[in-house]
């Protein structure tokens, strides 16, 4: 076994070329006996929605069962997350993914992860062992399942995907710029080429459907039953996280959404408290402009009046060839003490610095699920490795809280940290991390509610919100957004909240952005002279929008026209917005968009509706649809196949129940891919009461009855009761079994 483990480690490091599908290793009698013994301590109860309720004697047993259950539901997504996390996608997808792999390998080093695994505390090593064992036992007992690449999981691999946003941080590095910088090495690149700035075109059009979330917490003072409430509303790609419950005899009892392949509930609750992460807090990533010097054929960079050598690291990138064989490319990458060099700008190289502490991150991600009160949860936050997330919190003691970010480096506020800073100046160094107490937080605000929609924290609690002037600019990098404005409207001065009223508020149908976007259109129309041909042509369109209440509905033709108009206007003005660094939707409401652009966009939108649907007054439900045809990670869509009408709309327009298409459309209709995915509302009384819904269903297998059994309810905004207690699961039991049965 040691030799086999060494082989797999070498493959993961990219130092050994392998065929795209690696044969599963023969399972030893010892391993099988060990797995079967652990499986005997695990029970998996599938309820009538297919949700797995996993129980183990120990936490490690529970993790073993949780990973087995995840693999049952969608092994391809579990495997893909680790293929991507370890920078091995090109081994499956081919040379086009080389630089995506390179980006990951700039930060993820399997040898370092193996060392961190060995240095981990015994309790955490047991969990990582159980993580790998659960997946390997699944593969051993399901020989018909053919992995694309990873036929054997190692415990240290859990550290490559240890915190919900580490991939997101790394993915902020621009792939086109990375390839432009390193892609010339095969020639090799000249000094002039290496120092050339990389320019990238600015896209036009609306931003893609936001990948973020809503988190709402309600204090007992404004609830009907005197219990705190929490709304857990991630806006991710559909099927990104399934619904699970995992419990043990060692105090674990977590329910919620788990990212495929991770062994902790990422957004969820236990019997005492709940947590909801929303993306985007403070500034967690910085770029440093390094001044490069070629000295006797070696690269140096200027720092504090002197020169330091750049660290050169060769990275081998295997990739699948068109004929099914394997090729590889070795690229030498460079590091300053700030981090890896990822691009060039104005004759200097740009190094990026971000949080990369997988061991602490995995510890924080797991231990918060076992916290029993606010003090214990706060202690997990003090690990400060939840790098790009905010946290909305509620508990059974009646507390509600908000943490804006968690990993916030201390910086000199004289510098503009939104732009690359001078890497040669020691004053630009990070000076440790802010304590949690120094970051932007809220605890039991007097208004009784907290909201975050990936917006700034300065409206999180209405008049009781933190004050912007009290914090350095880098503490909060996002501005207000339409969903944030909408949320304040929904919660301001309201009371007597129940679970159902919280759900209703979270699905309020106003598209708040149009409150600011439509008046300039009406002004432009009214300024046209009487009898003008354009005025006559647009009269009925403007009249429809004037009468609209900004609310989406399946039957609403105004929703269709407004959304198509907004999209067309973004196509006309989006590039200008990006050049000025202004969010596109915000820019569209300014006077920098001309009256002509607004009117032309309306005419174009009406023409497109007429052409695609036969009537510019087409109800929104005929256009906006839910469809799940296959188990593919990237879903195909087909107007000729059955689909369901969905009333929700893009979060860009302020829809709290966000729903949008994130890939390039090849159909007439809009098919949702991102937005409301797993949603849960929780009441923290003497007994937990909760309701939840998934986009589609629990299973990724089209043959499963749970592939899309929640789709119709999802489209209606109808939630199912969460079966949190064993007696409730028993009353709604589909199957109870042990792994391997």
């Amino acid at each position: 076994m040691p030799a086999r483990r060494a082989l797999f480690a070498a493959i993961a490091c990219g130092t050994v070329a392998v065929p795209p599908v690696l044969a599963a290793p023969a399972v030893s009698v010892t391993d099988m006996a060990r797995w079967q013994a652990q499986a005997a301590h695990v029970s998996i109860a599938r309820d009538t929605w297919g949700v797995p309720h996993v129980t183990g004697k120990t936490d490690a047993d529970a993790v073993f069962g949780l990973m087995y259950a995840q693999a049952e539901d969608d092994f391809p997504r579990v495997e893909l997350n680790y293929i991507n996390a370890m920078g091995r996608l090109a081994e499956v997808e081919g040379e086009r993914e080389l630089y995506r792999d390179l980006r990951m390998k700039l930060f993820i080093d399997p040898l370092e992860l193996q060392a961190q695994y060995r240095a981990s505390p015994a309790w955490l090593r047991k969990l990582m062992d159980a993580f790998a064992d659960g997946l390997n036992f699944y593969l051993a007992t399901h020989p018909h399942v053919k992995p694309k690449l990873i036929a054997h999981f190692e415990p240290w691999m859990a550290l490559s995907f240890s915190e919900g946003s580490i991939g997101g941080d790394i993915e902020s590095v621009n792939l086109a710029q990375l390839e432009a910088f390193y892609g010339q090495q095969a020639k090799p690149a000249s000094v002039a080429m290496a120092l050339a700035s990389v320019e990238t075109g600015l896209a036009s059009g609306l931003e893609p459907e936001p990948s973020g979330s809503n988190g709402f917490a309600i204090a007992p003072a404004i609830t009907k039953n005197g219990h705190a409430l929490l709304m857990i509303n991630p806006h991710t790609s559909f099927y990104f996280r399934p619904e699970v419950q995992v419990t043990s005899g060692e105090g674990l009892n977590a329910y919620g959404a788990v990212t495929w392949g991770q062994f902790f509930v990422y957004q969820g609750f236990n019997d005492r408290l709940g947590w909801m992460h929303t993306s985007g807090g403070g500034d967690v990533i910085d770029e440093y402009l390094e001044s490069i010097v070629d000295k006797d054929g070696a690269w140096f960079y200027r720092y504090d009046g002197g020169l330091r050598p750049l660290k050169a690291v060769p990275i081998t990138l295997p990739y699948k060839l068109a004929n099914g064989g394997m090729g590889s490319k070795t690229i030498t990458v460079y590091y300053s003490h700030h981090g890896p060099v990822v691009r060039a700008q104005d004759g200097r190289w740009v190094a990026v610095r971000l949080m990369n502490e997988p061991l602490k991150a995995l510890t924080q991600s797991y231990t918060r699920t076992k916290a029993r009160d606010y003090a214990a949860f706060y202690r997990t936050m003090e690990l400060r490795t939840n790098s790009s997330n905010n946290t909305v919190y509620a508990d059974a003691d009646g507390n509600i809280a908000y943490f804006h970010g968690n990993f916030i480096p201390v910086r000199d506020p004289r510098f503009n940290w939104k732009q690359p800073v001078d890497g040669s100046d020691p004053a630009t160094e990070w000076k440790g991390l802010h304590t949690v107490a120094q970051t932007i937080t809220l605890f039991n605000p007097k208004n009784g509610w907290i909201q975050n929609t990936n917006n700034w924290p300065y409206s999180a609690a209405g008049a009781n919100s933190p004050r912007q002037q009290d914090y350095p600019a880098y503490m909060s990098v996002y501005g207000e957004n339409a969903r944030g404005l909408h949320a304040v409207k929904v919660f301001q001065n309201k009371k007597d909240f129940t679970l159902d009223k919280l759900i209703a508020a979270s699905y309020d149908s106003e598209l708040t952005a149009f409150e600011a976007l439509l008046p300039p259109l009406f002004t432009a129309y009214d300024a046209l002279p009487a009898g003008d041909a354009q005025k006559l042509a647009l009269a009925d369109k403007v009249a429809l929008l004037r009468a609209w209440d900004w609310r989406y509905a399946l039957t609403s033709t105004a929703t269709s026209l407004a959304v198509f108009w907004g999209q067309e206007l973004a196509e006309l003005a989006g590039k200008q917005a990006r050049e000025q660094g202004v969010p596109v939707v915000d820019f569209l409401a300014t006077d920098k968009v001309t009256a002509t652009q607004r009117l032309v966009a309306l005419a174009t939108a009406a023409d497109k509706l007429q052409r695609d649907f036969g009537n510019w007054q087409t109800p929104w439900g005929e256009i906006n649809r839910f469809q799940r045809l296959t188990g593919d990670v990237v879903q195909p869509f087909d107007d000729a196949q059955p689909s369901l009408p969905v009333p929700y709309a893009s979060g860009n327009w302020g829809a709290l129940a966000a729903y949008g298409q994130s890939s390039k459309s090849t159909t007439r209709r809009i098919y949702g891919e991102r937005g409301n995915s797993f949603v849960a509302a929780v009441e923290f009384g003497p007994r937990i009461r909760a309701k939840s819904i998934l986009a589609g269903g629990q299973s990724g297998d089209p043959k499963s009855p749970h592939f899309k059994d929640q789709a119709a309810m999802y489209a209606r905004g109808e939630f199912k009761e969460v079966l949190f207690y064993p007696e409730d699961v028993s009353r709604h039991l589909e199957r109870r079994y042990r792994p391997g049965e």
Side-chain angles (χ1 to χ4, degrees), residues 185-197:
Q185 286 192 4
K187 296 196 175 174
S190 66
V191 173
M193 177 64 73
L195 289 173
S197 295

Side-chain angles (χ1 to χ4, degrees), residues 498-522:
T498 64
L499 208 58
D500 290 335
K501 286 185 178 179
L502 176 58
I503 292 171
S506 302
Y507 277 66
D508 185 81
S509 61
E510 184 177 286
L511 299 181
T512 305
F514 289 104
E515 182 177 5
L517 292 176
L518 286 174
L521 171 66
F522 301 151

Side-chain angles (χ1 to χ4, degrees), residues 3 16 61 77-78 302 355 431 641 650:
V16 175
D61 295 334
R77 289 179 186 272
V78 172
R302 300 188 185 280
M355 191 280 288
K431 300 169 177 62
Q641 296 296 318
S650 170

Side-chain angles (χ1 to χ4, degrees), residues 206 482 489 509-522 545 548-552 558-567 569 585 588-589 649-650 652-655:
L206 195 65
K489 281 187 176 185
S509 61
E510 184 177 286
L511 299 181
T512 305
F514 289 104
E515 182 177 5
L517 292 176
L518 286 174
L521 171 66
F522 301 151
L545 293 176
W548 186 44
D549 58 2
W550 317 321
R551 293 190 173 275
Y552 60 67
T559 302
S560 304
L561 182 60
V563 168
F564 275 56
W565 169 70
Q567 291 171 343
L569 190 60
V585 172
L588 298 184
S650 170
N652 283 310
W653 308 123

Side-chain angles (χ1 to χ4, degrees), residues 520 569 572-573 576 587-598:
L569 190 60
L572 294 175
Q576 187 181 357
F587 186 83
L588 298 184
T590 69
D591 58 8
K592 295 178 182 179
V593 178
T594 68
T596 297
Q597 287 176 312
R598 298 182 194 281

Side-chain angles (χ1 to χ4, degrees), residues 24-349:
V27 175
S28 71
V29 173
T30 301
D31 279 347
M32 182 59 76
R34 178 167 54 83
W35 295 339
Q36 290 173 333
Q38 189 156 31
H41 297 144
V42 179
S43 171
I44 302 174
R46 295 275 182 177
D47 66 28
T48 49
W49 297 103
V51 175
H53 303 260
V54 181
T55 303
K57 183 177 180 180
T58 66
D59 282 10
D61 295 334
V63 166
F64 178 94
L66 175 62
M67 300 316 302
Y68 184 94
Q70 286 188 50
E72 287 184 300
D73 285 335
D74 205 329
F75 177 79
R77 289 179 186 272
V78 172
E79 184 192 19
L80 181 61
N81 279 346
Y82 283 92
I83 290 172
N84 183 63
M86 294 188 296
R88 303 185 61 190
L89 195 59
E91 295 174 54
V92 175
E93 299 295 336
E95 190 173 9
R96 68 179 183 273
E97 299 294 355
L98 270 182
Y99 288 91
R100 191 179 304 276
D101 285 354
L102 178 64
R103 180 171 64 182
M104 296 303 296
K105 288 183 175 180
L106 290 174
F107 303 92
I108 301 297
D109 179 358
L111 294 178
E112 173 60 27
L113 297 185
Q114 292 165 42
Q116 291 195 35
Y117 163 76
R118 293 190 293 269
S120 299
W123 69 267
L124 187 55
R125 284 201 309 274
K126 289 180 182 178
L127 300 186
M128 287 189 272
D129 291 344
F131 147 83
D133 287 345
L135 291 172
N136 291 330
F137 186 48
Y138 170 81
L139 290 174
T141 53
H142 293 76
H144 64 282
V145 174
K146 305 299 182 186
K148 289 186 174 181
L149 184 66
I150 307 176
H152 184 80
F153 287 81
E154 295 288 334
W156 59 266
M157 291 180 180
L159 290 165
S160 70
F161 193 29
S162 59
E163 187 270 326
S165 62
I166 184 65
D169 290 348
I170 293 174
E171 288 167 7
S172 67
V173 173
N174 184 285
L175 281 180
Q177 294 173 341
L178 186 70
E179 181 174 1
F181 186 80
Y182 285 115
Q184 299 295 322
Q185 286 192 4
K187 296 196 175 174
S190 66
V191 173
M193 177 64 73
L195 289 173
S197 295
V198 178
E199 299 293 337
T200 57
L202 293 170
S204 61
L206 195 65
E207 283 98 347
E209 182 60 30
S211 56
S213 303
N214 297 336
F216 306 138
I218 311 296
I222 60 170
T223 66
K224 186 174 182 179
N225 296 330
H227 305 146
L229 302 174
L230 180 67
M231 172 55 70
I232 298 169
N233 184 193
H235 292 166
T236 66
S237 56
F238 296 166
Y239 328 121
F240 183 66
R241 295 189 180 110
E243 184 172 352
V244 304
Q245 183 178 21
V246 57
T247 65
S248 80
E250 295 181 332
L252 177 66
N253 188 6
Y255 193 110
V258 59
T259 307
W260 294 110
Q262 293 183 326
F263 63 75
F264 52 86
V265 171
Y266 181 64
Q267 293 157 317
F269 56 96
N270 59 37
D271 61 321
R272 290 283 304 158
L273 55 84
W275 59 97
M276 171 60 209
H277 299 310
T278 60
S279 301
D283 183 353
V284 299
I285 303 170
D286 285 321
E287 291 186 325
Y288 290 84
L289 293 168
E290 310 289 17
S291 300
I292 305 301
V293 176
D294 182 358
K295 185 177 180 182
D296 299 325
W299 295 108
F300 292 79
Y301 64 103
R302 300 188 185 280
Y303 185 74
D304 197 18
L307 292 178
R308 290 188 176 188
L310 280 169
K311 180 182 178 182
V313 178
I315 295 180
T316 298
L317 301 164
Y319 60 91
K320 181 181 177 181
L321 297 171
N323 63 9
M326 292 295 293
S328 69
K329 178 180 286 189
T330 299
I331 295 176
T332 299
V333 299
Y334 298 96
Y335 293 78
S336 73
H337 71 281
H338 296 120
V341 174
V342 297
R343 61 186 178 90
Q345 177 178 309
D346 301 329
R348 291 191 282 182
W349 290 5

Side-chain angles (χ1 to χ4, degrees), residues 393-415:
Y393 169 98
D395 68 29
D397 295 321
N399 298 310
I400 63 172
Y402 176 69
F403 302 86
H404 193 75
N406 184 235
F407 171 91
I408 307 289
V410 179
R411 304 168 172 95
D412 188 328
R414 293 176 301 161
F415 296 97

